[in-house]
Amino acid sequence: MLGNMWRHLFRSRKVTISRPRTLAAARPTARAIPDPAPAPVVSLAEIGDRFHRFVLGLPAPESSDLSATELATLKRLELLSTRFDMRSLPRLPTVLPQLLRTLKNDNAAGGELAKLVGRDPLMVGEVMRVTSSVFYRSAQPITSLQHAVVLLGQDGLRRVLTQHVMKPILQANAGALGHVAGERLWDHAERCAHACAWLGRSSGCDAFEAYLAGIICHTGTGAVVRLLDQLMPTEAEAEAPSLSSGFLSACSQLAARLSLQASQHWELPPRVIEAMTECQAPPTPEGSALGRTLAVADTLAIAQLLGEHDQLAPDLDLSHSWPDILPQALLMRCQQDLRRQFPLEKKHA
């Protein structure tokens, strides 16, 4: 259905997604000295471009320049984005901000957490469902919400909040025609959250804030798909080739702004909002610890996901890509950890 949306929107001919280009290895000479920090096979900008094409089901670019149709579409997207009602986003549990603050206290009592969870029926249902699963099943039947919360523990409750509450919110955000996009954005969110929390341990970041930032950092991409849905009935019939890199780059910048607005609308922790603000531009050494960590984790997660789907070399080394942001050895270990946590066995069409 997503492919039909693009064909309707731009009246382009159907094409097949091409595999990423591979670059021939340089022929070594007898006197050649290996470069200790070789350049990546593809640039960070191209990795981002491939990610958005993968998420949106688009073919490889034929041009980097925007066409007249794309320029007109961007103007309409910008106009729609200024009118985008954040209240149309799937809701977060109203108790979530308070629960997040309580979860920062390692000594928070099970009764206090259960009282907060009990104020939201959706969260109650998810906590009881998860604790009734085979993984959590105990010798004694679960008789109360407090019993379930204690059984989960704080780490388990954090996973329920992110995986079982945020997942449907992020997937629904892409709209009916963006189902495939929503699934792929969630796959990225899992990897980004894992990488952000992993790197954050060495950067002094709060573990749960880092995980949460990784989960929601591409919320705006789903919103952009919804905005494109609104353009479908009235788009001009001018035929266009596969979408240019410039068009997707502009959509990515718009998505970053909408992601920030969503985090503000949801009243997420201040450091998460600060990181989302900084991620609208490349990371700098002067940025916040969480902002730098999130920007790098986002790209590492993208590379991991594309590698799993044969859209990028699965062993691509990006550890040297941010020499002034995070240590190379740390980034190398993070990529290795991502490959262990998300092996190549699961692929999507």
Side-chain angles (χ1 to χ4, degrees):
M1 295 182 70
L2 193 58
N4 291 335
M5 181 187 81
W6 290 115
R7 288 194 295 274
H8 186 107
L9 183 59
F10 289 96
R11 294 295 193 274
S12 61
R13 59 186 180 277
K14 183 177 181 180
V15 294
T16 303
I17 298 178
S18 63
R19 289 183 176 273
R21 299 189 303 274
T22 57
L23 301 182
R27 181 175 298 174
T29 64
R31 297 179 180 275
I33 300 176
D35 187 346
V41 176
V42 291
S43 68
L44 297 183
E46 186 174 352
I47 290 174
D49 183 79
R50 290 187 188 185
F51 170 67
H52 287 92
R53 293 181 190 282
F54 171 70
V55 167
L56 298 172
L58 294 172
E62 296 178 2
S63 172
S64 60
D65 299 326
L66 284 81
S67 67
T69 301
E70 290 174 337
L71 285 170
T73 301
L74 280 177
K75 289 181 180 179
R76 298 176 65 185
L77 276 176
E78 289 284 352
L79 179 60
L80 282 176
S81 70
T82 61
R83 302 174 181 174
F84 188 75
D85 186 359
M86 285 295 157
R87 293 173 298 179
S88 68
L89 291 172
R91 77 175 185 91
L92 288 185
T94 55
V95 72
L96 185 59
Q98 185 177 354
L99 188 55
L100 292 178
R101 289 192 293 270
T102 304
L103 281 169
K104 287 185 180 181
N105 179 7
D106 293 334
N107 298 319
E112 182 181 5
L113 293 171
K115 183 178 180 180
L116 290 172
V117 171
R119 289 164 50 186
D120 188 279
L122 172 62
M123 293 175 61
V124 171
E126 290 298 336
V127 166
M128 299 305 292
R129 185 184 66 80
V130 171
T131 51
S132 298
S133 66
V134 173
F135 181 80
Y136 282 102
R137 190 169 296 162
S138 59
Q140 298 296 325
I142 297 173
T143 57
S144 66
L145 178 60
Q146 181 172 345
H147 183 187
V149 167
V150 171
L151 181 63
L152 277 175
Q154 291 203 16
D155 287 340
L157 188 55
R158 291 187 182 104
R159 286 193 294 270
V160 169
L161 289 176
T162 53
Q163 297 178 9
H164 300 285
V165 176
M166 293 301 296
K167 181 177 181 179
I169 288 173
L170 293 178
Q171 289 181 328
N173 181 45
L177 292 181
H179 175 72
V180 173
E183 289 286 345
R184 291 174 176 178
L185 285 172
W186 174 251
D187 287 343
H188 168 269
E190 287 186 300
R191 288 150 182 78
C192 187
H194 180 87
C196 199
W198 195 97
L199 291 171
R201 293 200 302 264
S202 300
S203 305
C205 301
D206 178 88
F208 190 54
E209 287 183 351
Y211 196 90
L212 182 62
I215 284 285
I216 58 96
C217 73
H218 276 280
T219 303
T221 303
V224 167
V225 175
R226 290 179 61 190
L227 293 176
L228 286 167
D229 286 352
Q230 297 178 38
L231 295 181
M232 286 179 58
T234 58
E235 181 59 45
E237 296 187 0
E239 183 174 315
S242 60
L243 299 185
S244 69
S245 298
F247 179 82
L248 286 188
S249 177
C251 285
S252 176
Q253 294 172 19
L254 174 59
R257 294 201 300 270
L258 292 176
S259 294
L260 171 60
Q261 292 176 31
S263 66
Q264 293 168 331
H265 172 70
W266 285 331
E267 298 179 350
L268 297 184
R271 281 190 291 253
V272 174
I273 294 176
E274 180 184 25
M276 297 294 291
T277 302
E278 295 175 6
C279 280
Q280 295 183 84
T284 65
E286 294 75 26
S288 67
L290 183 54
R292 298 194 308 270
T293 300
L294 176 59
V296 173
D298 180 21
T299 301
L300 295 185
I302 287 172
Q304 172 65 28
L305 182 62
L306 293 180
E308 293 174 39
H309 293 267
D310 296 326
Q311 302 293 310
L312 201 64
D315 57 350
L316 179 64
D317 179 14
L318 295 175
S319 62
H320 53 276
S321 300
W322 300 273
D324 299 325
I325 305 302
L326 290 173
Q328 180 176 348
L330 179 69
L331 298 180
M332 186 178 297
R333 292 197 302 272
C334 183
Q335 283 196 274
Q336 293 169 349
D337 185 73
L338 279 170
R339 290 166 190 147
R340 285 193 298 269
Q341 296 296 323
F342 302 96
L344 301 180
E345 57 192 18
K346 181 180 178 182
K347 295 179 185 283
H348 300 274

